[in-house]
Amino acid sequence: MAGKQQGAESRRVYSAAGDEIVSRKPVLVTRYRGFTRLNHWITAGSMILLLLTGFAFFHPSLFWLTELFGGGQTTRWIHPWIGVLLFFSFLGMFVQMWHLNLPNRDDVEWAKKTRDVLQGNEESLPELGKYNAGQKTVFWGMAGAIVVLIATGMMIWEEHFPFLVSIPVRRVAVVVHAATALGIFLLFLLHVYAAIWTRGTIRAMTRGTVTGGWAYRHHRKWFRELAQRSTGKQAD
């Protein structure tokens, strides 16, 4: 019986958190479940649509973007509703991931060695959990910006909240909303660039898995924890 288990080409071991190591050649590690990946792409799609519809009103030179959505009136109508979708979609991700993005001492050490990160010298970096300090910064930055956007968006959504705030406050809300939108756009670009720059990362959100080598190199503490759980499951 033991020989059959050792000789099996593929064996899947589940962890309590839903992550798993798939023992095969090469070793694959499940990083995101299907629900999480769907949630991520809805959030990303909403973000892109919001940026396009929002920038259409950001400056007159960008008004041509409204033609992508059927004209100015249609774009003005759908923009806030996409914002509502983004808020609840990101809320779903927040509930799943907030505890994994809490800062710790490893993040401080990682941030001190930013040069090594940029040079790809990861052997000098501390072993990391599922997310590094850069990913956590993007996560909390996105979370804060989306809260500001939904709050200021409601203030300037005259169709449904005409008397929520005074006109002077609404004018300030418009400026804050636009500035925050620009900030979240930069965070979004940083997120996309980092995903492309770190080879193998996009696979995690398209297929749900990463290779064992990728996990060991970039998130070694997380990989070790999964390996320990797997060993415990096999022993049981």
PDB file of all heavy atoms in Angstrom, residues 180-216:
ATOM      1  N   THR A 180      -8.311  61.103  -6.152  1.00  0.00           N
ATOM      2  CA  THR A 180      -8.224  59.713  -5.701  1.00  0.00           C
ATOM      3  C   THR A 180      -8.254  58.757  -6.883  1.00  0.00           C
ATOM      4  O   THR A 180      -7.560  57.732  -6.886  1.00  0.00           O
ATOM      5  CB  THR A 180      -9.378  59.397  -4.734  1.00  0.00           C
ATOM      6  OG1 THR A 180      -9.390  60.351  -3.666  1.00  0.00           O
ATOM      7  CG2 THR A 180      -9.224  57.998  -4.154  1.00  0.00           C
ATOM      8  N   ALA A 181      -9.057  59.075  -7.888  1.00  0.00           N
ATOM      9  CA  ALA A 181      -9.115  58.242  -9.089  1.00  0.00           C
ATOM     10  C   ALA A 181      -7.753  58.198  -9.782  1.00  0.00           C
ATOM     11  O   ALA A 181      -7.326  57.144 -10.269  1.00  0.00           O
ATOM     12  CB  ALA A 181     -10.179  58.773 -10.043  1.00  0.00           C
ATOM     13  N   LEU A 182      -7.076  59.340  -9.821  1.00  0.00           N
ATOM     14  CA  LEU A 182      -5.739  59.373 -10.410  1.00  0.00           C
ATOM     15  C   LEU A 182      -4.771  58.516  -9.603  1.00  0.00           C
ATOM     16  O   LEU A 182      -3.945  57.783 -10.162  1.00  0.00           O
ATOM     17  CB  LEU A 182      -5.234  60.820 -10.478  1.00  0.00           C
ATOM     18  CG  LEU A 182      -3.869  61.039 -11.130  1.00  0.00           C
ATOM     19  CD1 LEU A 182      -3.880  60.538 -12.572  1.00  0.00           C
ATOM     20  CD2 LEU A 182      -3.493  62.524 -11.087  1.00  0.00           C
ATOM     21  N   GLY A 183      -4.897  58.584  -8.269  1.00  0.00           N
ATOM     22  CA  GLY A 183      -4.034  57.780  -7.410  1.00  0.00           C
ATOM     23  C   GLY A 183      -4.260  56.290  -7.577  1.00  0.00           C
ATOM     24  O   GLY A 183      -3.306  55.509  -7.659  1.00  0.00           O
ATOM     25  N   ILE A 184      -5.524  55.877  -7.662  1.00  0.00           N
ATOM     26  CA  ILE A 184      -5.805  54.450  -7.815  1.00  0.00           C
ATOM     27  C   ILE A 184      -5.399  53.957  -9.205  1.00  0.00           C
ATOM     28  O   ILE A 184      -5.057  52.789  -9.384  1.00  0.00           O
ATOM     29  CB  ILE A 184      -7.305  54.165  -7.532  1.00  0.00           C
ATOM     30  CG1 ILE A 184      -7.492  52.703  -7.110  1.00  0.00           C
ATOM     31  CG2 ILE A 184      -8.177  54.474  -8.736  1.00  0.00           C
ATOM     32  CD1 ILE A 184      -8.884  52.379  -6.599  1.00  0.00           C
ATOM     33  N   PHE A 185      -5.413  54.856 -10.182  1.00  0.00           N
ATOM     34  CA  PHE A 185      -4.931  54.511 -11.519  1.00  0.00           C
ATOM     35  C   PHE A 185      -3.445  54.174 -11.474  1.00  0.00           C
ATOM     36  O   PHE A 185      -2.997  53.190 -12.076  1.00  0.00           O
ATOM     37  CB  PHE A 185      -5.185  55.672 -12.476  1.00  0.00           C
ATOM     38  CG  PHE A 185      -4.540  55.518 -13.827  1.00  0.00           C
ATOM     39  CD1 PHE A 185      -4.930  54.500 -14.681  1.00  0.00           C
ATOM     40  CD2 PHE A 185      -3.545  56.395 -14.238  1.00  0.00           C
ATOM     41  CE1 PHE A 185      -4.334  54.348 -15.931  1.00  0.00           C
ATOM     42  CE2 PHE A 185      -2.949  56.262 -15.480  1.00  0.00           C
ATOM     43  CZ  PHE A 185      -3.345  55.231 -16.329  1.00  0.00           C
ATOM     44  N   LEU A 186      -2.674  54.953 -10.723  1.00  0.00           N
ATOM     45  CA  LEU A 186      -1.240  54.687 -10.593  1.00  0.00           C
ATOM     46  C   LEU A 186      -1.000  53.378  -9.843  1.00  0.00           C
ATOM     47  O   LEU A 186      -0.099  52.602 -10.203  1.00  0.00           O
ATOM     48  CB  LEU A 186      -0.561  55.852  -9.874  1.00  0.00           C
ATOM     49  CG  LEU A 186      -0.603  57.202 -10.607  1.00  0.00           C
ATOM     50  CD1 LEU A 186       0.032  58.294  -9.755  1.00  0.00           C
ATOM     51  CD2 LEU A 186       0.099  57.101 -11.960  1.00  0.00           C
ATOM     52  N   LEU A 187      -1.795  53.110  -8.805  1.00  0.00           N
ATOM     53  CA  LEU A 187      -1.683  51.847  -8.086  1.00  0.00           C
ATOM     54  C   LEU A 187      -2.011  50.664  -8.994  1.00  0.00           C
ATOM     55  O   LEU A 187      -1.361  49.623  -8.937  1.00  0.00           O
ATOM     56  CB  LEU A 187      -2.631  51.843  -6.880  1.00  0.00           C
ATOM     57  CG  LEU A 187      -2.158  52.520  -5.599  1.00  0.00           C
ATOM     58  CD1 LEU A 187      -3.276  52.487  -4.557  1.00  0.00           C
ATOM     59  CD2 LEU A 187      -0.909  51.850  -5.045  1.00  0.00           C
ATOM     60  N   PHE A 188      -3.017  50.854  -9.823  1.00  0.00           N
ATOM     61  CA  PHE A 188      -3.428  49.802 -10.754  1.00  0.00           C
ATOM     62  C   PHE A 188      -2.302  49.500 -11.742  1.00  0.00           C
ATOM     63  O   PHE A 188      -2.003  48.335 -12.029  1.00  0.00           O
ATOM     64  CB  PHE A 188      -4.687  50.242 -11.489  1.00  0.00           C
ATOM     65  CG  PHE A 188      -5.239  49.218 -12.436  1.00  0.00           C
ATOM     66  CD1 PHE A 188      -5.903  48.100 -11.967  1.00  0.00           C
ATOM     67  CD2 PHE A 188      -5.096  49.370 -13.816  1.00  0.00           C
ATOM     68  CE1 PHE A 188      -6.420  47.144 -12.840  1.00  0.00           C
ATOM     69  CE2 PHE A 188      -5.607  48.430 -14.689  1.00  0.00           C
ATOM     70  CZ  PHE A 188      -6.266  47.320 -14.205  1.00  0.00           C
ATOM     71  N   LEU A 189      -1.665  50.560 -12.260  1.00  0.00           N
ATOM     72  CA  LEU A 189      -0.534  50.362 -13.173  1.00  0.00           C
ATOM     73  C   LEU A 189       0.611  49.636 -12.476  1.00  0.00           C
ATOM     74  O   LEU A 189       1.254  48.749 -13.065  1.00  0.00           O
ATOM     75  CB  LEU A 189      -0.055  51.712 -13.703  1.00  0.00           C
ATOM     76  CG  LEU A 189      -0.927  52.427 -14.729  1.00  0.00           C
ATOM     77  CD1 LEU A 189      -0.268  53.726 -15.171  1.00  0.00           C
ATOM     78  CD2 LEU A 189      -1.190  51.531 -15.940  1.00  0.00           C
ATOM     79  N   LEU A 190       0.886  50.000 -11.228  1.00  0.00           N
ATOM     80  CA  LEU A 190       1.942  49.349 -10.466  1.00  0.00           C
ATOM     81  C   LEU A 190       1.637  47.864 -10.275  1.00  0.00           C
ATOM     82  O   LEU A 190       2.516  47.011 -10.412  1.00  0.00           O
ATOM     83  CB  LEU A 190       2.104  50.038  -9.106  1.00  0.00           C
ATOM     84  CG  LEU A 190       3.131  49.436  -8.146  1.00  0.00           C
ATOM     85  CD1 LEU A 190       4.529  49.507  -8.743  1.00  0.00           C
ATOM     86  CD2 LEU A 190       3.083  50.156  -6.798  1.00  0.00           C
ATOM     87  N   HIS A 191       0.391  47.561  -9.983  1.00  0.00           N
ATOM     88  CA  HIS A 191      -0.037  46.173  -9.785  1.00  0.00           C
ATOM     89  C   HIS A 191       0.153  45.354 -11.069  1.00  0.00           C
ATOM     90  O   HIS A 191       0.682  44.238 -11.035  1.00  0.00           O
ATOM     91  CB  HIS A 191      -1.508  46.172  -9.356  1.00  0.00           C
ATOM     92  CG  HIS A 191      -2.092  44.809  -9.201  1.00  0.00           C
ATOM     93  ND1 HIS A 191      -1.642  43.897  -8.258  1.00  0.00           N
ATOM     94  CD2 HIS A 191      -3.107  44.187  -9.866  1.00  0.00           C
ATOM     95  CE1 HIS A 191      -2.348  42.780  -8.350  1.00  0.00           C
ATOM     96  NE2 HIS A 191      -3.244  42.927  -9.321  1.00  0.00           N
ATOM     97  N   VAL A 192      -0.262  45.918 -12.187  1.00  0.00           N
ATOM     98  CA  VAL A 192      -0.140  45.215 -13.469  1.00  0.00           C
ATOM     99  C   VAL A 192       1.326  45.034 -13.840  1.00  0.00           C
ATOM    100  O   VAL A 192       1.740  43.953 -14.275  1.00  0.00           O
ATOM    101  CB  VAL A 192      -0.886  45.986 -14.578  1.00  0.00           C
ATOM    102  CG1 VAL A 192      -0.623  45.358 -15.946  1.00  0.00           C
ATOM    103  CG2 VAL A 192      -2.388  46.008 -14.294  1.00  0.00           C
ATOM    104  N   TYR A 193       2.124  46.091 -13.657  1.00  0.00           N
ATOM    105  CA  TYR A 193       3.543  46.008 -14.000  1.00  0.00           C
ATOM    106  C   TYR A 193       4.243  44.943 -13.156  1.00  0.00           C
ATOM    107  O   TYR A 193       5.045  44.147 -13.678  1.00  0.00           O
ATOM    108  CB  TYR A 193       4.215  47.366 -13.777  1.00  0.00           C
ATOM    109  CG  TYR A 193       5.708  47.331 -14.004  1.00  0.00           C
ATOM    110  CD1 TYR A 193       6.230  47.337 -15.297  1.00  0.00           C
ATOM    111  CD2 TYR A 193       6.599  47.288 -12.924  1.00  0.00           C
ATOM    112  CE1 TYR A 193       7.599  47.285 -15.512  1.00  0.00           C
ATOM    113  CE2 TYR A 193       7.968  47.237 -13.129  1.00  0.00           C
ATOM    114  CZ  TYR A 193       8.461  47.240 -14.426  1.00  0.00           C
ATOM    115  OH  TYR A 193       9.813  47.178 -14.635  1.00  0.00           O
ATOM    116  N   ALA A 194       3.950  44.912 -11.863  1.00  0.00           N
ATOM    117  CA  ALA A 194       4.596  43.939 -10.978  1.00  0.00           C
ATOM    118  C   ALA A 194       4.205  42.516 -11.360  1.00  0.00           C
ATOM    119  O   ALA A 194       5.031  41.597 -11.302  1.00  0.00           O
ATOM    120  CB  ALA A 194       4.215  44.216  -9.525  1.00  0.00           C
ATOM    121  N   ALA A 195       2.943  42.330 -11.778  1.00  0.00           N
ATOM    122  CA  ALA A 195       2.487  41.003 -12.175  1.00  0.00           C
ATOM    123  C   ALA A 195       3.199  40.525 -13.437  1.00  0.00           C
ATOM    124  O   ALA A 195       3.525  39.338 -13.569  1.00  0.00           O
ATOM    125  CB  ALA A 195       0.979  41.018 -12.397  1.00  0.00           C
ATOM    126  N   ILE A 196       3.458  41.447 -14.349  1.00  0.00           N
ATOM    127  CA  ILE A 196       4.159  41.093 -15.588  1.00  0.00           C
ATOM    128  C   ILE A 196       5.651  40.906 -15.327  1.00  0.00           C
ATOM    129  O   ILE A 196       6.284  39.989 -15.859  1.00  0.00           O
ATOM    130  CB  ILE A 196       3.933  42.171 -16.667  1.00  0.00           C
ATOM    131  CG1 ILE A 196       2.442  42.240 -17.041  1.00  0.00           C
ATOM    132  CG2 ILE A 196       4.772  41.899 -17.904  1.00  0.00           C
ATOM    133  CD1 ILE A 196       2.103  43.378 -17.977  1.00  0.00           C
ATOM    134  N   TRP A 197       6.213  41.772 -14.489  1.00  0.00           N
ATOM    135  CA  TRP A 197       7.648  41.752 -14.203  1.00  0.00           C
ATOM    136  C   TRP A 197       8.061  40.469 -13.480  1.00  0.00           C
ATOM    137  O   TRP A 197       9.106  39.889 -13.765  1.00  0.00           O
ATOM    138  CB  TRP A 197       8.005  42.979 -13.359  1.00  0.00           C
ATOM    139  CG  TRP A 197       9.450  43.082 -13.006  1.00  0.00           C
ATOM    140  CD1 TRP A 197      10.505  43.141 -13.864  1.00  0.00           C
ATOM    141  CD2 TRP A 197       9.995  43.137 -11.683  1.00  0.00           C
ATOM    142  NE1 TRP A 197      11.685  43.247 -13.163  1.00  0.00           N
ATOM    143  CE2 TRP A 197      11.408  43.251 -11.823  1.00  0.00           C
ATOM    144  CE3 TRP A 197       9.455  43.135 -10.405  1.00  0.00           C
ATOM    145  CZ2 TRP A 197      12.252  43.327 -10.735  1.00  0.00           C
ATOM    146  CZ3 TRP A 197      10.299  43.216  -9.319  1.00  0.00           C
ATOM    147  CH2 TRP A 197      11.687  43.309  -9.482  1.00  0.00           C
ATOM    148  N   THR A 198       7.227  40.005 -12.552  1.00  0.00           N
ATOM    149  CA  THR A 198       7.527  38.773 -11.824  1.00  0.00           C
ATOM    150  C   THR A 198       6.937  37.609 -12.602  1.00  0.00           C
ATOM    151  O   THR A 198       5.739  37.325 -12.522  1.00  0.00           O
ATOM    152  CB  THR A 198       6.935  38.813 -10.402  1.00  0.00           C
ATOM    153  OG1 THR A 198       7.378  40.001  -9.734  1.00  0.00           O
ATOM    154  CG2 THR A 198       7.374  37.604  -9.598  1.00  0.00           C
ATOM    155  N   ARG A 199       7.754  36.956 -13.370  1.00  0.00           N
ATOM    156  CA  ARG A 199       7.283  35.888 -14.260  1.00  0.00           C
ATOM    157  C   ARG A 199       6.592  34.775 -13.478  1.00  0.00           C
ATOM    158  O   ARG A 199       7.073  34.357 -12.424  1.00  0.00           O
ATOM    159  CB  ARG A 199       8.460  35.318 -15.040  1.00  0.00           C
ATOM    160  CG  ARG A 199       9.101  36.291 -16.010  1.00  0.00           C
ATOM    161  CD  ARG A 199      10.271  35.667 -16.727  1.00  0.00           C
ATOM    162  NE  ARG A 199       9.874  34.459 -17.451  1.00  0.00           N
ATOM    163  CZ  ARG A 199      10.734  33.652 -18.086  1.00  0.00           C
ATOM    164  NH1 ARG A 199      12.042  33.928 -18.068  1.00  0.00           N
ATOM    165  NH2 ARG A 199      10.292  32.588 -18.718  1.00  0.00           N
ATOM    166  N   GLY A 200       5.465  34.320 -13.992  1.00  0.00           N
ATOM    167  CA  GLY A 200       4.720  33.257 -13.343  1.00  0.00           C
ATOM    168  C   GLY A 200       3.586  33.733 -12.472  1.00  0.00           C
ATOM    169  O   GLY A 200       2.764  32.939 -12.016  1.00  0.00           O
ATOM    170  N   THR A 201       3.527  35.061 -12.251  1.00  0.00           N
ATOM    171  CA  THR A 201       2.503  35.604 -11.364  1.00  0.00           C
ATOM    172  C   THR A 201       1.122  35.596 -12.016  1.00  0.00           C
ATOM    173  O   THR A 201       0.121  35.253 -11.377  1.00  0.00           O
ATOM    174  CB  THR A 201       2.877  37.038 -10.940  1.00  0.00           C
ATOM    175  OG1 THR A 201       4.127  37.008 -10.254  1.00  0.00           O
ATOM    176  CG2 THR A 201       1.821  37.629 -10.023  1.00  0.00           C
ATOM    177  N   ILE A 202       1.057  35.985 -13.289  1.00  0.00           N
ATOM    178  CA  ILE A 202      -0.241  36.057 -13.971  1.00  0.00           C
ATOM    179  C   ILE A 202      -0.884  34.679 -14.035  1.00  0.00           C
ATOM    180  O   ILE A 202      -2.113  34.559 -13.949  1.00  0.00           O
ATOM    181  CB  ILE A 202      -0.061  36.651 -15.375  1.00  0.00           C
ATOM    182  CG1 ILE A 202       0.409  38.107 -15.267  1.00  0.00           C
ATOM    183  CG2 ILE A 202      -1.354  36.574 -16.168  1.00  0.00           C
ATOM    184  CD1 ILE A 202       0.642  38.788 -16.596  1.00  0.00           C
ATOM    185  N   ARG A 203      -0.079  33.646 -14.146  1.00  0.00           N
ATOM    186  CA  ARG A 203      -0.603  32.280 -14.173  1.00  0.00           C
ATOM    187  C   ARG A 203      -1.459  31.986 -12.949  1.00  0.00           C
ATOM    188  O   ARG A 203      -2.436  31.238 -13.021  1.00  0.00           O
ATOM    189  CB  ARG A 203       0.558  31.305 -14.265  1.00  0.00           C
ATOM    190  CG  ARG A 203       0.162  29.843 -14.095  1.00  0.00           C
ATOM    191  CD  ARG A 203       1.368  28.943 -13.972  1.00  0.00           C
ATOM    192  NE  ARG A 203       0.930  27.581 -13.723  1.00  0.00           N
ATOM    193  CZ  ARG A 203       1.368  26.529 -14.391  1.00  0.00           C
ATOM    194  NH1 ARG A 203       2.265  26.661 -15.347  1.00  0.00           N
ATOM    195  NH2 ARG A 203       0.932  25.320 -14.097  1.00  0.00           N
ATOM    196  N   ALA A 204      -1.075  32.557 -11.808  1.00  0.00           N
ATOM    197  CA  ALA A 204      -1.811  32.294 -10.568  1.00  0.00           C
ATOM    198  C   ALA A 204      -3.260  32.755 -10.671  1.00  0.00           C
ATOM    199  O   ALA A 204      -4.157  32.132 -10.089  1.00  0.00           O
ATOM    200  CB  ALA A 204      -1.127  32.994  -9.396  1.00  0.00           C
ATOM    201  N   MET A 205      -3.510  33.854 -11.410  1.00  0.00           N
ATOM    202  CA  MET A 205      -4.862  34.376 -11.532  1.00  0.00           C
ATOM    203  C   MET A 205      -5.576  33.915 -12.803  1.00  0.00           C
ATOM    204  O   MET A 205      -6.728  34.246 -13.009  1.00  0.00           O
ATOM    205  CB  MET A 205      -4.843  35.907 -11.480  1.00  0.00           C
ATOM    206  CG  MET A 205      -4.931  36.468 -10.083  1.00  0.00           C
ATOM    207  SD  MET A 205      -6.430  35.929  -9.229  1.00  0.00           S
ATOM    208  CE  MET A 205      -6.140  36.649  -7.604  1.00  0.00           C
ATOM    209  N   THR A 206      -4.887  33.173 -13.652  1.00  0.00           N
ATOM    210  CA  THR A 206      -5.547  32.621 -14.835  1.00  0.00           C
ATOM    211  C   THR A 206      -5.797  31.120 -14.667  1.00  0.00           C
ATOM    212  O   THR A 206      -6.897  30.631 -14.924  1.00  0.00           O
ATOM    213  CB  THR A 206      -4.698  32.860 -16.095  1.00  0.00           C
ATOM    214  OG1 THR A 206      -3.368  32.352 -15.900  1.00  0.00           O
ATOM    215  CG2 THR A 206      -4.630  34.346 -16.417  1.00  0.00           C
ATOM    216  N   ARG A 207      -4.782  30.393 -14.193  1.00  0.00           N
ATOM    217  CA  ARG A 207      -4.935  28.951 -13.991  1.00  0.00           C
ATOM    218  C   ARG A 207      -5.166  28.583 -12.527  1.00  0.00           C
ATOM    219  O   ARG A 207      -5.613  27.479 -12.221  1.00  0.00           O
ATOM    220  CB  ARG A 207      -3.691  28.218 -14.492  1.00  0.00           C
ATOM    221  CG  ARG A 207      -3.343  28.498 -15.943  1.00  0.00           C
ATOM    222  CD  ARG A 207      -2.140  27.685 -16.357  1.00  0.00           C
ATOM    223  NE  ARG A 207      -1.641  28.085 -17.661  1.00  0.00           N
ATOM    224  CZ  ARG A 207      -0.582  27.525 -18.257  1.00  0.00           C
ATOM    225  NH1 ARG A 207       0.062  26.537 -17.650  1.00  0.00           N
ATOM    226  NH2 ARG A 207      -0.178  27.953 -19.438  1.00  0.00           N
ATOM    227  N   GLY A 208      -4.800  29.512 -11.628  1.00  0.00           N
ATOM    228  CA  GLY A 208      -4.970  29.231 -10.205  1.00  0.00           C
ATOM    229  C   GLY A 208      -3.773  28.594  -9.547  1.00  0.00           C
ATOM    230  O   GLY A 208      -3.740  28.437  -8.327  1.00  0.00           O
ATOM    231  N   THR A 209      -2.752  28.215 -10.354  1.00  0.00           N
ATOM    232  CA  THR A 209      -1.588  27.531  -9.797  1.00  0.00           C
ATOM    233  C   THR A 209      -0.290  28.261 -10.131  1.00  0.00           C
ATOM    234  O   THR A 209      -0.226  29.040 -11.079  1.00  0.00           O
ATOM    235  CB  THR A 209      -1.482  26.089 -10.342  1.00  0.00           C
ATOM    236  OG1 THR A 209      -1.354  26.135 -11.781  1.00  0.00           O
ATOM    237  CG2 THR A 209      -2.693  25.269  -9.963  1.00  0.00           C
ATOM    238  N   VAL A 210       0.725  27.972  -9.339  1.00  0.00           N
ATOM    239  CA  VAL A 210       2.092  28.411  -9.620  1.00  0.00           C
ATOM    240  C   VAL A 210       2.982  27.186  -9.478  1.00  0.00           C
ATOM    241  O   VAL A 210       2.593  26.183  -8.880  1.00  0.00           O
ATOM    242  CB  VAL A 210       2.560  29.524  -8.645  1.00  0.00           C
ATOM    243  CG1 VAL A 210       1.778  30.796  -8.866  1.00  0.00           C
ATOM    244  CG2 VAL A 210       2.433  29.056  -7.188  1.00  0.00           C
ATOM    245  N   THR A 211       4.165  27.270 -10.014  1.00  0.00           N
ATOM    246  CA  THR A 211       5.091  26.144  -9.875  1.00  0.00           C
ATOM    247  C   THR A 211       5.693  26.151  -8.477  1.00  0.00           C
ATOM    248  O   THR A 211       5.736  27.185  -7.798  1.00  0.00           O
ATOM    249  CB  THR A 211       6.215  26.230 -10.912  1.00  0.00           C
ATOM    250  OG1 THR A 211       7.005  27.409 -10.663  1.00  0.00           O
ATOM    251  CG2 THR A 211       5.656  26.272 -12.323  1.00  0.00           C
ATOM    252  N   GLY A 212       6.168  24.978  -8.071  1.00  0.00           N
ATOM    253  CA  GLY A 212       6.820  24.894  -6.772  1.00  0.00           C
ATOM    254  C   GLY A 212       8.052  25.787  -6.703  1.00  0.00           C
ATOM    255  O   GLY A 212       8.342  26.379  -5.657  1.00  0.00           O
ATOM    256  N   GLY A 213       8.773  25.889  -7.819  1.00  0.00           N
ATOM    257  CA  GLY A 213       9.952  26.748  -7.854  1.00  0.00           C
ATOM    258  C   GLY A 213       9.601  28.208  -7.656  1.00  0.00           C
ATOM    259  O   GLY A 213      10.294  28.941  -6.952  1.00  0.00           O
ATOM    260  N   TRP A 214       8.495  28.646  -8.277  1.00  0.00           N
ATOM    261  CA  TRP A 214       8.048  30.033  -8.116  1.00  0.00           C
ATOM    262  C   TRP A 214       7.680  30.303  -6.660  1.00  0.00           C
ATOM    263  O   TRP A 214       8.065  31.320  -6.088  1.00  0.00           O
ATOM    264  CB  TRP A 214       6.844  30.283  -9.016  1.00  0.00           C
ATOM    265  CG  TRP A 214       6.348  31.700  -9.029  1.00  0.00           C
ATOM    266  CD1 TRP A 214       6.655  32.667  -9.940  1.00  0.00           C
ATOM    267  CD2 TRP A 214       5.454  32.315  -8.090  1.00  0.00           C
ATOM    268  NE1 TRP A 214       6.000  33.845  -9.633  1.00  0.00           N
ATOM    269  CE2 TRP A 214       5.264  33.648  -8.499  1.00  0.00           C
ATOM    270  CE3 TRP A 214       4.801  31.859  -6.946  1.00  0.00           C
ATOM    271  CZ2 TRP A 214       4.441  34.540  -7.795  1.00  0.00           C
ATOM    272  CZ3 TRP A 214       3.997  32.741  -6.238  1.00  0.00           C
ATOM    273  CH2 TRP A 214       3.817  34.064  -6.660  1.00  0.00           C
ATOM    274  N   ALA A 215       6.933  29.376  -6.060  1.00  0.00           N
ATOM    275  CA  ALA A 215       6.508  29.547  -4.669  1.00  0.00           C
ATOM    276  C   ALA A 215       7.709  29.577  -3.729  1.00  0.00           C
ATOM    277  O   ALA A 215       7.770  30.384  -2.804  1.00  0.00           O
ATOM    278  CB  ALA A 215       5.556  28.420  -4.278  1.00  0.00           C
ATOM    279  N   TYR A 216       8.690  28.700  -3.985  1.00  0.00           N
ATOM    280  CA  TYR A 216       9.870  28.636  -3.123  1.00  0.00           C
ATOM    281  C   TYR A 216      10.719  29.893  -3.252  1.00  0.00           C
ATOM    282  O   TYR A 216      11.277  30.380  -2.268  1.00  0.00           O
ATOM    283  CB  TYR A 216      10.705  27.407  -3.484  1.00  0.00           C
ATOM    284  CG  TYR A 216      11.879  27.187  -2.563  1.00  0.00           C
ATOM    285  CD1 TYR A 216      11.695  26.566  -1.336  1.00  0.00           C
ATOM    286  CD2 TYR A 216      13.169  27.593  -2.925  1.00  0.00           C
ATOM    287  CE1 TYR A 216      12.769  26.363  -0.477  1.00  0.00           C
ATOM    288  CE2 TYR A 216      14.243  27.396  -2.081  1.00  0.00           C
ATOM    289  CZ  TYR A 216      14.040  26.767  -0.851  1.00  0.00           C
ATOM    290  OH  TYR A 216      15.101  26.578  -0.009  1.00  0.00           O
TER     291      TYR A 216
END
